Amino acid sequence: MADTTVSKVSDTPRTSVGRDGVLNVAARLFREQGYGAVSLRKIAEAAGIKASSIYYHFGSKDEIVAAVLDAGIEAVHESMRQAIAVLPTDTGAEAALRAAIGAHLRALLEVSDYSSANVRIFGQVPQSVRDANLPTRRAYEAEWDALLSRLQKNGALQRDVDIRRLRLMLIGALNATLEWFDPDRGSAEALSRTYADVFLNGILER
Amino acid sequence: MADTTVSKVSDTPRTSVGRDGVLNVAARLFREQGYGAVSLRKIAEAAGIKASSIYYHFGSKDEIVAAVLDAGIEAVHESMRQAIAVLPTDTGAEAALRAAIGAHLRALLEVSDYSSANVRIFGQVPQSVRDANLPTRRAYEAEWDALLSRLQKNGALQRDVDIRRLRLMLIGALNATLEWFDPDRGSAEALSRTYADVFLNGILER
DNA sequence: GTCTATAAATGGATAGAC
DNA sequence: GTCTATCCATTTATAGAC
């Protein structure tokens, strides 16, 4: 590979991959191949370094995975928080829910290797790694519960549905799109509209 | 372990685990721990034999996994087919959909280690194994598409929803329950009713 | 049908040079 | 921050005895 970079005063050597470089590659490979199929050698090769060099940045494979999982929740959480915060104060319940669904789905399907990697491999990593990710998850779940509870108190949602169960159904359904979503068959934006339609109004003709 | 079996004229030696014994253990372990975390040694130990003995029944680990995946789809397919077949001929669209949802969910959450293992590990196995499972999957998907199309032609479902997408949303949402379902918080039967309610009528107060 | 023994490959991880 | 070299555990799979 020829050196195409021009001289800079930057302190960071251009040959350095760095912690973030390793993490970005790891997130992509975990999303594509799953936890068990991705070895440190694979990550290193894709990042353009040797496997042993990874241990300068991380203490173990699980430390890498843990960092990817946390960043994945943070990304989708931030996406949702932003989508809600930007709404006018007089926004109705239906529009707020649509915004949250769209934010979650876009983060998952378009924006973040970290978020999609999280959904894809969470069930595959060792228990200790899952446990380490739980606090971050709980915070995101609380954000959803707060939104749903607010809508229910407003009278927009049926009063007999259990918030926790509704959140599990909703996020579970959205995350499942990762297994079959194909951008050639329609955008994430269009898909999020369909999901909102179904969850809000159902599929029965009326 | 003491031998508690009485003498029988059976041809099958009581000390033999057999192909089915290996397969049953494998399905359970795959469901519990995922594909990558389950080695042939683990399967063998849980079955009470040595790892090398497995090769008398199967040619490779992937052959075991492939058998588990196929049996998993067969089980849930049969569960749904049966639930539909048993309905009176004058059953309405809503009740038919509820029956299918219930059958899928019960097979997944209560009946079959094979079905739950399929959902859990399909995304973790090598591409060749996934490909081998595809024909069986397609047949089950076709069953759902046939049901949904029939309901749509009857005018029970909205005419503008895409059948394939609806099936992917529905099955994806149901399969996702595997990650959080807890029988102590409510039966699979009750959960299937909630899912049917949401998909049929939505969650908005009206 | 199951065993012991072992081959061959691959995994995570460490030591020390540059 | 990255390298080479290496260790050690574990994996899938095979050979041949019982």
Side-chain angles (χ1 to χ4, degrees), chain A residues 85 105 163 185 199:
Chain A
L105 221 43
I163 293 299
R185 285 178 179 263
F199 268 94

Side-chain angles (χ1 to χ4, degrees), chain B residues 38-51:
Chain B
V38 175
S39 63
L40 293 179
R41 279 177 169 79
K42 273 191 187 174
I43 297 174
E45 189 185 18
I49 60 177
K50 297 295 177 180

Side-chain angles (χ1 to χ4, degrees), chain B:
Chain B
M1 213 71 84
D3 183 358
T4 57
T5 58
V6 287
S7 291
K8 288 252 186 68
V9 284
S10 165
D11 287 324
T12 316
R14 60 193 176 288
T15 54
S16 174
V17 172
R19 184 187 156 101
D20 285 353
V22 172
L23 221 47
N24 286 336
V25 167
R28 180 172 53 81
L29 292 183
F30 283 137
R31 168 178 67 79
E32 291 172 353
Q33 307 178 25
Y35 171 76
V38 175
S39 63
L40 293 179
R41 279 177 169 79
K42 273 191 187 174
I43 297 174
E45 189 185 18
I49 60 177
K50 297 295 177 180
S52 59
S53 303
I54 290 180
Y55 286 91
Y56 177 81
H57 303 289
F58 301 93
S60 68
K61 180 182 179 180
D62 286 353
E63 205 175 301
I64 301 177
V65 177
V68 168
L69 290 184
D70 279 347
I73 300 290
E74 297 290 5
V76 70
H77 192 160
E78 184 53 32
S79 173
M80 177 206 175
R81 198 163 16 206
Q82 186 66 21
I84 298 295
V86 88
L87 295 174
T89 45
D90 63 338
T91 301
E94 185 172 330
L97 236 185
R98 285 182 179 275
I101 289 174
H104 184 97
L105 220 44
R106 270 180 281 112
L108 211 62
L109 301 178
E110 291 179 345
V111 180
S112 173
D113 282 344
Y114 291 87
S115 296
S116 44
N118 181 298
V119 170
R120 189 106 207 295
I121 71 175
F122 182 78
Q124 307 176 23
V125 302
Q127 185 68 45
S128 59
V129 178
R130 266 202 294 273
D131 291 344
N133 186 236
L134 281 187
T136 310
R137 291 197 150 221
R138 302 273 189 242
Y140 181 52
E141 293 169 357
E143 192 91 24
W144 268 97
D145 288 350
L147 172 64
L148 293 172
S149 291
R150 190 157 56 81
L151 300 184
Q152 194 174 45
K153 285 203 184 83
N154 286 353
L157 297 194
Q158 295 165 25
R159 53 169 170 58
D160 63 323
V161 295
D162 179 66
I163 293 298
R164 176 180 170 275
R165 177 166 285 192
L166 178 57
R167 182 245 299 157
L168 286 167
M169 291 176 62
L170 201 40
I171 295 186
L174 296 179
N175 287 348
T177 59
L178 214 50
E179 302 298 316
W180 53 266
F181 174 71
D182 176 2
D184 294 340
R185 284 178 181 262
S187 67
E189 185 59 40
L191 188 59
S192 90
R193 248 176 282 123
T194 305
Y195 267 89
D197 288 341
V198 170
F199 269 95
L200 291 170
N201 301 311
I203 59 174
L204 284 186
E205 185 63 70
R206 55 183 84 253

